[in-house]
Every structure is written in C-alpha cells, then in structure tokens.
C-alpha cells in the first residue's frame, strides 16, 4: 500500500524543539559574523522596506556532533514515520533554521526543484506569521479553495510535498522554524 501525504501536521516532543532552539543559539554564536557579511545572498525574507530575518547556512555542513546524531537518529525516525517510508529510502538535501526578526515574511514558493518533501518544526508560538499552503495552485479558484493556514505553535510540525506552494505571512513576533529538505527513493 502507498500513502504519501500532500500535507500533514503533527505534534512533536518538546525535547526536540528545546534541542533545536539551543542549536540555533549555538550556531548564531559561532557564525553570526559570517552570516551578516553574506546575508544578501541567502535571505529569502521580505517585507515592504528591506529583507528581514535570520537564516542559517545549510546545517548539513555544520560539523556539530549533537546535531548530526539527532539528524541520523531521532529526526530520521520522525520523517520515516510521518511520510510512511523506510528510513533507508530517506536522504537530506538541506537543513536550516529561520528566525523572523524586526518584522518579516516569506514570499510564495515551493521546493520541487530541490527535493520531494519538506519538514517544518515550529520552535516558538506566535499569534501571527501563519504559514499559508495551497494544495492546488494551478488557478485562482483551486488555489482559494485549497488554502490552509497553519499558525506557528511550539511543538507543532508539518510535513508536505515539495510541490505545495506556501508562504510565511508577515509577523513582528519572534517566529522560529526548523526546515528540512527531504528526498525519497521509491525504487526497490
């Protein structure tokens, strides 16, 4: 039986979000200067006046043993279970964390050019800055009819097809998200 979800939300253990918040702070303490100097090339955040927000580089390239252990064990278990595919058929394309600062949003986009699935883990609860998903964006009628909004809530996660268009609505709150680009191999 095959059962690949288009969009699925689920609760995650608070120990996972606490760990990821610690890792974000450790990363910022180590690499903040490098990030600030190269910010324009990597920042997809937008607002009316200027780009805003913090985005790590690809965390797959960060030589952090705790994060590597988490990625190859706990995170792989979560992804495998949620999309219903054996762990041996899952690989990572990229992994990073976003933190909205001083007001920010993210424009509509999808990830179909890079991977097959995307995982979001919300690291903070916010009253604004919802993620808006369109399950079918092929024309305005379908796009409006299939719009789903997910409010950022600590310990909430979403896994979705890389084909799904989505955006982050504007927020001035401290919205933080852990994002993983997932590739699956369905060949036997």
């Amino acid at each position: 039986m095959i059962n690949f979800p288009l969009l699925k939300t689920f609760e995650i253990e608070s120990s996972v979000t606490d760990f990821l918040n610690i890792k974000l702070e450790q990363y910022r303490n180590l690499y903040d200067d490098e990030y600030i100097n190269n910010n324009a090339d990597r920042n997809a955040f937008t607002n009316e006046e200027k780009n805003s927000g913090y985005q790590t580089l690809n965390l797959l390239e960060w030589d952090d043993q705790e994060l590597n252990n988490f990625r190859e064990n706990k995170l792989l278990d979560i992804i495998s279970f949620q999309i219903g595919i054996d762990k041996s058929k899952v690989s990572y394309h990229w992994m990073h964390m976003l933190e909205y600062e001083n007001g920010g949003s993210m424009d509509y986009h999808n990830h179909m050019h890079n991977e097959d699935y995307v995982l979001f883990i919300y690291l903070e609860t916010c009253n604004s800055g919802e993620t808006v998903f369109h399950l079918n964006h092929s024309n305005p009628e379908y796009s409006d009819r299939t719009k789903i909004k997910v409010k950022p809530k600590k310990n909430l996660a979403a896994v979705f097809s890389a084909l799904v268009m989505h955006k982050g609505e504007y927020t001035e709150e401290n919205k933080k998200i852990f994002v993983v680009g997932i590739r699956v191999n369905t060949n036997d």
Side-chain angles (χ1 to χ4, degrees), residues 75-168:
L75 186 60
L76 194 55
D77 288 342
I78 291 167
I79 291 167
S80 172
F81 178 78
Q82 293 299 329
I83 63 175
I85 192 165
D86 187 84
K87 292 188 283 191
S88 67
K89 296 185 176 286
V90 174
S91 63
Y92 301 110
H93 180 64
W94 51 262
M95 180 180 303
H96 63 109
M97 290 192 236
L98 308 172
E99 183 172 6
Y100 291 60
E101 299 173 317
N102 304 317
S105 63
M106 181 130 351
D107 290 335
Y108 275 113
H109 64 286
N110 64 33
H111 298 251
M112 66 183 187
H113 58 284
N114 284 326
E115 59 268 345
D116 306 306
Y117 281 90
V118 180
L119 171 71
F120 284 0
I121 298 176
Y122 296 96
L123 305 178
E124 295 290 335
T125 297
C126 300
N127 292 316
S128 60
E130 292 155 313
T131 306
V132 180
F133 297 94
H134 293 273
L135 302 183
N136 184 348
H137 69 278
S138 63
N139 71 46
E141 175 195 346
Y142 298 164
S143 183
D144 287 344
R145 182 173 47 81
T146 64
K147 180 168 65 174
I148 296 171
K149 289 187 172 190
V150 176
K151 186 177 275 192
K153 179 182 160 200
K154 187 175 182 179
N155 305 327
L156 179 67
V159 65
F160 56 96
S161 167
L163 300 170
V164 173
M165 290 295 288
H166 58 285
K167 73 173 184 172

Side-chain angles (χ1 to χ4, degrees), residues 168-184:
E169 291 189 330
Y170 184 80
T171 184
E172 292 184 2
E173 296 179 75
N174 193 25
K175 179 179 173 184
K176 297 180 192 177
I177 306 175
F178 177 68
V179 183
V180 182
I182 303 161
R183 290 183 174 170
V184 297

